[in-house]
Each structure stands twice: as C-alpha cells, then as structure tokens.
Amino acid sequence: MATAQIGRGRNSVRLRRYNERLLLQVLRRSGEASKADLARRTHLTSTAIGSIIQSLEASELIVYTGRRTEGQRGQPATLIDLNPKGAFGIGVRLDRDSIETALLDFGGQILARRVHDRILPSPDETLRLVQADIEHVLKAITPEERERLTGIGVAQPFNLGAWLRELNLPNEDFRAWDEVDFAFELGEATGLPVFSENDGNAAAIAELFYGCGREFDDFLYLFMGPVIGCGVALNGDCLRGVTGNAGDIAVMPVPPSGLASAQAPAHKWDMLLSRASLNALGRHLRYCGATVESHADLERHIRAHHPAVEEWIEDCIDALAPAVRAALCMLDVPVVVFDADVDGGLIDLLQRRLAKALADNAPEAREAPELVRGSFGSDAGAVGAASLPMFFSFSPRAEILGSVTRSIEDMRDAD
C-alpha cells in the first residue's frame, strides 16, 4: 500500500507538469487568453487553471497583458500571454560547411547569433569556437535573465564522416567527428544541460513548437539544405527511432540522376541526397559554367532563372516525389512541410512542383497531402537547435502523458 501512495504522489507531480505544459502550448498556439478561455481549451477546472496560473506566474513564464472589453458582459476578463523573457535557449547548428550559434527567447525570436561559413574544423577546434560564440550571444541578455536559460541544443547531421564522396568533401576533415560525442563535450565545457538531435529532427521540433505545430500535430518535414533533411511529427511529438535517424529520407534509395553533372553511384541505386540537395544544385551549376561559392550565389542564379536551375529542379522532383510518396505510405500523415536554406523563389517553386507530382501520381483511394511552406527558411537550423531545450522543458509531449497513464496502472496493480 505504501508503494501505491508513492505512485500517487509521483503521478500527481507528472500530471501537474503535463497540465502546465498543456496550458503553455495553448497560449503559444492561440496567443493571449483569459482563464475561462484556457479552462475551455484544456478541459481543466477553473480551480486547476487558477493554481497553474499562479505557478507559471511565479516562474515568470506568463504575463498579464490587459483586459478584454469587447464582446462580453460583466467584469472584463484579464488576459494572459507567454512572457518572451520567461525562458531562453541556445542553439548550436553544425553542418559540414558552417557553424551557427544563436540565442532564442521563449517567444521564438532570435536575439543574437554568430555564423561561420567554413568547412567544419576538428571537434576540438569547433568546441573552442562554439564556447566563445556562446559567451558572445549571452551578452544579449542580463545576468538575471541568464538564470532562465534552459540549456543548449545541438543540431547536426548524424554520421558526419559518411557520404563524403557524394558531397565532394575531403575525408580527413570529418572522420574524427564519428568518434566524438560533441554534445557531451559541450556540456562538460559549459556546465549547462545539452540536448542533441540530428538537424532534420531539430528543425521539425522548431516547427512543432513555434511554427506549423500551431495547426498540425502530424506532418512530414522536409528541409532542402546542403543535404536534404527530414523529420517526422506524430501526435505532437518528434519520431526519433532507435538511433535518432527516423525520417532520414536523404539516404532513401533512388535511381541514378540523369544530369550530366551527376557522379556515377557506387552501387546499383543512388541516394536521394545525391539528387535532391543544394549540393547537387551547386554541382550542376558549376558544371554548366556558373560561379557558386555561397548561398548568395545560389540565390542569384535562382532569381536569374539560370537554365541549370530548371534542369536540376526537374531531376530533383523526379527523385523526391516517389521518395515522399513512399514515406507517406508508411507514416500516414496528411501534411508535408517544406522549407529550404535558400530562397529566391526556390521554395515556392519546389513546393508547387512537388505538389503536382504527388497529385498526378497519387494511388487510387489515397489523396495527395497538403503542402505547407515552413516557418523559418534559412533560420530553421538555428531556431531548431535552440528550440530543443525549450521543447524538452515545456512541451506536453506524449511520453509525459504516457508516464502518467503508466503510473495510474501501477497504482491499480498495487491496490
């Protein structure tokens, strides 16, 4: 019986934490609301809402923004909203050709950032560089606000030392990354909690927490970067898989490219990253005589409607559409969120072409998904990384409610 009492106590704490996070999610999705609004949307009692509001106010996670005076009788309702200064997260995005560190507030705004466009150096050198960048971005908030720092998020491609032939990168620069746990080393160096995800998952989490997750709990997220990234949102949480690589569409097998610039695949099948990626676009532009040294160069050629861009888009969609269709068959999600590291009209163009290809080839009794533009563009990596400590600290993720359910079942067994 004593075990059951302990179980009830733990369950009560977990349930309260879940309800607090649920209320914060409602405010994040809908904006300011009254206590009555929150009770209606969360299906909690007025007493429970009042208690949670007191706790969140004491933690400075919410603020009172005024009173509602229109459309109601009696005493005007007090309105509550998230406090943008209630919490902060640091994001570190590592890619094979760049390093970015950013500071994000609770409202999802980037307050400061440092960017290095360079081939990723050794883990030791990167650690020193990132530590200096963290100190730099933290200057944007006061010492008191630093007490509300939730931690550091690290977003990077997993297996950094792999697929270097397909990406035209030198082996010696990346092999060491497969032998190091950078998130652990960064935590040891800074003394802060560090949350690590692959870059596709991190960007999908940013959409869940600050972007399209305001409307959708289930979607496939695609990000056209140097390598195509992907994440899967199911029931308002991010699907990770056993190794954290769920949704790794970049390595999905596809037929070889028809472009003259393409490398011959090492095996019978090629990988999607060889055809649907900014790396493939840059390679084809250079093959056709264009100068490409930066994302700005890519955008310039996209805006100018360079013929090589159109050739790459056709080849990209030819590989991407069946890969996305295969993913949708397995996941059964109604929405595809699409974003990219560059624009110049590329995001809308790829989204339209992909939507048409999916609709034209939709199997009988299966509709084409809704395609939605992502919320962050080239900021997706930084916001994704910095969202990680926020998400894991404040999101009513399914596993929290699952732990509540398991505790209730444990209590019943104990009784």
Side-chain angles (χ1 to χ4, degrees), residues 21 151 183 316 350 355 361 388:
R21 295 179 177 196
C316 169
L350 284 173
N361 294 282
L388 294 177

Side-chain angles (χ1 to χ4, degrees), residues 248-315:
D248 191 7
I249 202 171
V251 297
M252 188 172 283
V254 297
S257 170
L259 295 177
S261 60
Q263 294 178 324
H267 306 285
K268 177 180 178 181
W269 294 92
D270 209 339
M271 291 185 293
L272 185 62
L273 64 87
S274 295
R275 298 179 62 181
S277 66
L278 296 184
N279 180 74
L281 171 58
R283 182 179 62 220
H284 191 57
L285 279 163
R286 284 188 287 269
Y287 179 87
C288 295
T291 299
V292 180
E293 297 180 354
S294 66
H295 284 174
D297 288 337
L298 283 178
E299 288 206 11
R300 178 166 52 82
H301 295 309
I302 292 164
R303 293 183 189 278
H305 305 288
H306 194 292
V309 175
E310 174 59 32
E311 292 170 357
W312 170 79
I313 287 174
E314 184 176 347
D315 189 74

Side-chain angles (χ1 to χ4, degrees), residues 99-174:
I99 303 169
E100 185 172 7
T101 301
L103 177 68
L104 198 73
D105 71 16
F106 198 40
Q109 296 300 309
I110 296 177
L111 303 180
R113 80 168 93 203
R114 292 289 292 271
V115 181
H116 305 274
D117 290 321
R118 55 173 293 185
I119 293 292
L120 190 65
S122 70
D124 288 342
E125 184 180 347
T126 301
L127 182 61
R128 290 191 294 270
L129 189 152
V130 167
Q131 283 182 266
D133 287 349
I134 288 172
E135 285 303 314
H136 177 84
V137 299
L138 282 175
K139 293 177 182 178
I141 57 177
T142 66
E144 179 187 9
E145 289 171 336
R146 291 191 189 193
E147 296 298 316
R148 301 177 209 151
L149 192 63
T150 56
I152 303 171
V154 174
Q156 66 178 77
F158 287 173
N159 310 114
L160 273 166
W163 312 303
L164 301 178
R165 185 187 73 88
E166 288 80 2
L167 298 172
N168 307 112
L169 292 169
N171 291 359
E172 61 272 13
D173 291 325
F174 298 102

Side-chain angles (χ1 to χ4, degrees), residues 28-248:
R28 188 173 298 106
R29 289 182 169 184
S30 62
E32 61 183 13
S34 67
K35 290 181 180 179
D37 295 331
L38 294 171
R40 184 173 63 256
R41 293 171 187 170
T42 60
H43 304 291
L44 297 174
T45 66
S46 297
T47 301
I49 289 292
S51 176
I52 292 171
I53 290 296
Q54 284 185 328
S55 175
L56 295 177
E57 183 182 8
S59 300
E60 300 186 72
L61 291 171
I62 58 171
V63 290
Y64 294 100
T65 58
R67 291 181 178 273
R68 180 182 292 148
T69 57
E70 297 180 0
Q72 69 173 41
R73 299 176 181 177
Q75 186 72 16
T78 300
L79 296 176
I80 301 160
D81 206 347
L82 297 180
N83 177 14
K85 306 303 179 185
F88 301 89
I90 294 172
V92 177
R93 180 198 183 189
L94 304 179
D95 213 332
R96 294 176 177 89
D97 61 356
S98 65
I99 303 169
E100 185 172 7
T101 301
L103 177 68
L104 198 73
D105 71 16
F106 198 40
Q109 296 300 309
I110 296 177
L111 303 180
R113 80 168 93 203
R114 292 289 292 271
V115 181
H116 305 274
D117 290 321
R118 55 173 293 185
I119 293 292
L120 190 65
S122 70
D124 288 342
E125 184 180 347
T126 301
L127 182 61
R128 290 191 294 270
L129 189 152
V130 167
Q131 283 182 266
D133 287 349
I134 288 172
E135 285 303 314
H136 177 84
V137 299
L138 282 175
K139 293 177 182 178
I141 57 177
T142 66
E144 179 187 9
E145 289 171 336
R146 291 191 189 193
E147 296 298 316
R148 301 177 209 151
L149 192 63
T150 56
I152 303 171
V154 174
Q156 66 178 77
F158 287 173
N159 310 114
L160 273 166
W163 312 303
L164 301 178
R165 185 187 73 88
E166 288 80 2
L167 298 172
N168 307 112
L169 292 169
N171 291 359
E172 61 272 13
D173 291 325
F174 298 102
R175 294 302 184 193
W177 281 93
D178 289 340
E179 308 298 327
V180 68
D181 185 341
F182 184 80
F184 175 81
E185 298 295 336
L186 185 58
E188 290 287 294
T190 62
L192 293 169
V194 178
F195 304 80
S196 179
E197 284 286 352
N198 76 49
D199 50 351
N201 282 350
I205 285 172
E207 288 291 351
L208 271 173
F209 202 62
Y210 286 118
C212 296
R214 292 187 174 98
E215 297 181 61
F216 310 111
D217 283 331
D218 305 279
F219 55 82
L220 181 72
Y221 175 83
L222 298 174
F223 186 80
M224 188 66 70
V227 175
I228 188 167
C230 182
V232 182
L234 290 177
N235 298 319
D237 204 350
C238 183
L239 182 67
R240 298 193 73 256
V242 174
T243 64
N245 283 311
D248 191 7

